[in-house]
């Protein structure tokens, strides 16, 4: 395990500003995610500056997907706690993701129904405008 830690220390890392630029999150949000337990404390330089490794970026990417798909911060925190607890929580994490996916799929179906209703209304108004244009021409 010590060899793995040494390899992690040698891998290229990014500053908080670089991670903010890559992820679209502000440095304040990245700090909040760490305080809130969404991400584990990241490595630090001797000057105490945060340094993010590739594994940190991969986890942030997944968290952003959860957030973008509507998972609440509290559920994201629960998922992060389960992840940190290790392989014994795989079934619980799977259950959380399945439930989130089911909620997401229902929202997608609802959005599609709403989009279809908007499409119909747009076509209706386009037809009305076409009919007005036809009756106004000599």
């Amino acid at each position: 395990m010590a060899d793995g830690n040494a390899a992690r220390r040698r891998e290229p890392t990014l500053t908080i500003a670089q991670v903010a630029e890559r992820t679209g999150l502000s440095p304040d949000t990245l700090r909040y995610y760490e305080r809130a337990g969404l991400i584990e404390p990241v490595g630090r330089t001797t000057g105490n500056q945060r340094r993010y490794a590739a594994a940190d970026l991969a986890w942030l990417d997944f968290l952003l997907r959860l957030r973008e798909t509507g998972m609440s911060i509290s559920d994201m925190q629960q998922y992060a706690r389960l992840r940190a607890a290790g392989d014994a929580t795989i079934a619980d994490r799977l259950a959380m993701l399945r439930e989130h996916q089911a909620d997401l799929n229902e929202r997608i179906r609802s959005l599609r129904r709403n989009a279809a209703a908007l499409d119909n209304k747009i076509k209706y108004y386009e037809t009305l405008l076409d009919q007005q244009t036809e009756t106004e021409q000599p």
Side-chain angles (χ1 to χ4, degrees):
M1 193 64 146
D3 292 338
N5 289 335
R8 183 174 164 90
R9 284 192 300 271
R10 286 192 304 270
E11 78 179 48
T13 59
L14 299 174
T15 66
I16 196 168
Q18 292 169 318
V19 173
E21 185 176 327
R22 285 188 182 200
T23 62
L25 296 171
S26 70
D28 286 339
T29 300
L30 289 165
R31 289 184 201 98
Y32 166 74
Y33 275 21
E34 192 172 338
R35 281 191 316 273
L38 290 171
I39 58 175
E40 293 184 12
V42 296
R44 302 279 183 138
T45 66
T46 54
N48 205 31
Q49 295 177 328
R50 287 173 174 84
R51 299 297 294 189
Y52 294 82
D56 300 319
L57 292 177
W59 175 239
L60 277 168
D61 284 342
F62 187 68
L63 283 176
L64 290 174
R65 288 185 191 278
L66 294 177
R67 185 181 78 172
E68 288 174 12
T69 56
M71 184 177 275
S72 69
I73 293 290
S74 62
D75 282 349
M76 289 169 59
Q77 288 170 317
Q78 175 62 21
Y79 187 86
R81 282 189 295 272
L82 290 170
R83 177 181 178 260
D87 288 350
T89 66
I90 288 174
D92 293 329
R93 285 183 272 163
L94 178 59
M96 279 190 80
L97 291 178
R98 283 181 172 159
E99 182 178 340
H100 182 63
Q101 184 178 48
D103 292 344
L104 176 61
N105 287 336
E106 180 51 41
R107 283 198 317 278
I108 290 169
R109 283 190 291 276
S110 176
L111 286 170
R112 286 187 177 139
R113 286 190 302 269
N114 291 331
L118 287 173
D119 288 343
N120 289 335
K121 188 58 78 172
I122 288 168
K123 287 175 189 169
Y124 172 74
Y125 286 132
E126 287 172 342
T127 301
L128 287 178
L129 283 176
D130 288 344
Q131 290 171 353
Q132 285 178 350
T133 304
E134 290 172 5
T135 58
E136 291 174 0
Q137 293 180 356

